[in-house]
Amino acid sequence: MQSHAAEPAPRPLLLVPASVWDGVADAPHLGWVVLVRGARIEAVGPGAGVTTPADAERIALPGTTLIPGLIEGHSHLFLHPYNETLWDDQVLKEPFGLRMARAVAHARATLEAGVTTMRDLGTEGAFDGDVQLKRAIEQGIVPGPRIITTTRAIVATGSYGPRRSLYAFEPLQGAEEASGAEEIVRVVRSQIGHGADWIKVYADYRWGPKGEALPTFSLDELKVLVETAHGSGRPVSAHAATAEGMRRATLAGVETIEHGNEGTPEVFKLMKQHGVALCPTIAASEAYATYFSGWVKGKTPPTRELETKRASFKAALAAGVTICFGGDVGVFQHGDNVRELEDMVEYGMTPLAALRSATSGNAKVFRLDDRLGKIAPGYLADLVAVEGDPTREIGALRKVRGVWKDGTRVR
């Protein structure tokens, strides 16, 4: 039997940026350094106060701010922009192997952009591909962020797409259908069995007689879904664009609502009372307007939908709703995740508030705040070095100088 010598422990790393923003403070700390040992942060503080091991590798990062790795809250690794290929054609015409290859490339681009953790909210016809990609990343086969999986979203029978009425055959659906309490319980448990970390449900969709968005599941059905998921320790995310869909999802007990396009002050007040966070996906709304309405940012007036979006986001901020950084990336280019943070600032958040949303805020929403979202001793060494100060200028997040995940440099 062949024996293998144990691999030597990695050398400690001493990262020396111009400043460190720890994920919670009001401003970066000048002159701080971060000591990393293995996958975790061992020490952080003023350079003179951190004892550096003699064998530590010192990495100078002049002119940069070191921040926690970004946590993306709404992504679709198995989709690519709709101005390249329409959603129906991606679901129906792109084989699984091709979609997985794309997802691998998308995961790498995401990680190199400084996103070290992401919640993937549905494979859109690619079954449990997110679970398998997560395994490949964890085993070091391909690079990528740590993935919070949902497998397939759950939709009311007949409400989603591709639309059956448009095809001469039974088209593959982009999500898993269910109707009635018994079937909902079965589908939730099946998704859990296939590796879902979260459960995603569509509380409304564009299935009205004129293609308008209307609620799908009843409040009682949503309560059964949430109760089943929570019984297994899984949180629930709800797609909801209408005020009524948002109301039902909130009363059912979901953790996050995605989009919230037509949210009202009343429904945001309800979300605040129930501790439900909002992933606004502003960047996706702007991408849709560009692809399908000819809108050009900064050159043409906003569409009615974008005006509604801006008003709803301001209402959410006014109500004090927790904002989850998540842009629905996949609708637009993977690796361009910062676009959502720039929009959040444009629509009314401060750069500091937006950055907290993408780090310590999302870590709390996603129940990862005991190990991610901050630069503190004992936390995982997910770190990003960017030029400038992103707490004052959010665009600094585009100037990435280095990315570390679990203490290993990936860019």
Side-chain angles (χ1 to χ4, degrees):
M1 184 175 181
Q2 190 175 17
S3 62
H4 297 276
E7 292 186 7
R11 290 174 61 190
L13 300 177
L14 183 71
L15 304 181
V16 188
S19 61
V20 173
W21 182 71
D22 61 8
V24 292
D26 290 339
H29 300 282
L30 295 174
W32 275 27
V33 299
V34 176
L35 179 65
V36 175
R37 190 184 294 272
R40 294 190 179 267
I41 297 166
E42 183 168 295
V44 57
V50 173
T51 301
T52 306
D55 62 338
E57 178 186 358
R58 187 180 188 276
I59 300 178
L61 298 162
T64 69
T65 302
L66 195 66
I67 65 171
L70 302 180
I71 302 173
E72 165 69 61
H74 189 132
S75 64
H76 295 281
L77 285 168
F78 288 82
L79 292 177
H80 57 105
Y82 302 165
N83 62 340
E84 296 176 358
T85 306
L86 293 174
W87 183 86
D88 272 29
D89 289 342
Q90 293 187 45
V91 173
L92 295 178
K93 296 181 180 180
E94 294 185 349
F96 180 79
L98 175 62
R99 298 189 70 188
M100 178 60 83
R102 286 188 184 276
V104 168
H106 297 159
R108 181 179 193 128
T110 299
L111 182 61
E112 292 182 349
V115 175
T116 56
T117 301
M118 72 186 324
R119 186 177 59 159
D120 193 85
L121 284 181
T123 60
E124 306 295 329
F127 307 102
D128 65 346
D130 57 342
V131 176
Q132 304 314 318
L133 178 57
K134 174 182 178 178
R135 291 179 64 192
I137 291 170
E138 290 177 344
Q139 293 178 30
I141 298 169
V142 297
R146 61 178 53 78
I147 300 175
I148 300 168
T149 59
T150 60
T151 68
R152 292 184 285 173
I154 299 173
V155 295
T157 302
S159 67
Y160 202 55
R163 300 280 184 209
R164 291 178 169 91
S165 59
L166 299 178
Y167 296 92
F169 56 91
E170 179 70 15
L172 171 74
Q173 292 296 288
E176 189 166 7
E177 295 181 307
S179 291
E182 184 175 343
E183 196 169 337
I184 287 169
V185 170
R186 180 191 62 78
V187 168
V188 171
R189 289 174 177 166
S190 174
Q191 293 196 359
I192 291 168
H194 282 91
D197 298 318
W198 278 59
I199 298 298
K200 181 186 178 182
V201 62
Y202 275 73
D204 57 27
Y205 201 65
R206 300 183 299 274
W207 72 323
K210 298 179 182 178
E212 68 271 33
L214 290 172
T216 52
F217 291 108
S218 69
L219 176 56
D220 286 342
E221 287 176 316
L222 289 173
K223 285 181 176 178
V224 168
L225 183 147
V226 171
E227 182 181 9
T228 305
H230 283 181
S232 75
R234 266 88 173 170
V236 179
S237 162
H239 167 114
T242 66
E244 178 59 18
M246 295 167 70
R247 186 189 73 84
R248 293 184 191 182
T250 298
L251 293 176
V254 306
E255 276 70 24
T256 67
I257 285 177
E258 315 303 310
H259 312 301
N261 298 2
E262 299 174 13
T264 62
E266 293 74 23
V267 80
F268 286 126
K269 181 180 178 181
L270 186 68
M271 287 174 62
K272 173 66 174 177
Q273 291 171 348
H274 287 259
V276 179
L278 172 71
C279 259
T281 66
I282 300 167
S285 292
E286 293 195 345
Y288 270 97
T290 300
Y291 302 156
F292 305 118
S293 299
W295 177 70
V296 180
K297 188 164 187 171
K299 294 185 178 181
T300 58
T303 63
R304 181 178 60 81
E305 291 77 12
L306 288 180
E307 289 177 340
T308 300
K309 186 75 168 184
R310 187 181 289 265
S312 72
F313 186 69
K314 287 186 177 296
L317 293 180
V321 171
T322 297
I323 302 298
C324 164
F325 158 59
D328 208 353
V329 60
V331 174
F332 59 98
Q333 196 70 41
H334 291 278
D336 194 22
N337 306 68
V338 171
R339 175 176 174 177
E340 175 73 7
L341 289 167
E342 292 171 334
D343 284 341
M344 287 160 63
V345 171
E346 180 188 335
Y347 279 51
M349 292 184 81
T350 66
L352 178 62
L355 193 56
R356 282 179 176 149
S357 171
T359 52
S360 57
N362 271 6
K364 184 175 181 180
V365 172
F366 301 151
R367 305 178 181 181
L368 302 170
D369 52 326
D370 61 339
R371 55 196 181 276
L372 290 171
K374 299 177 186 176
I375 300 179
Y379 275 62
L380 290 172
D382 282 18
L383 304 161
V384 182
V386 299
E387 294 180 20
D389 179 0
T391 69
R392 301 181 66 179
E393 173 51 57
I394 201 69
L397 294 174
R398 292 190 177 275
K399 302 173 184 177
V400 176
R401 286 267 299 276
V403 179
W404 291 261
K405 179 190 168 196
D406 290 329
T408 299
R409 189 165 191 167
V410 295
R411 171 172 172 172

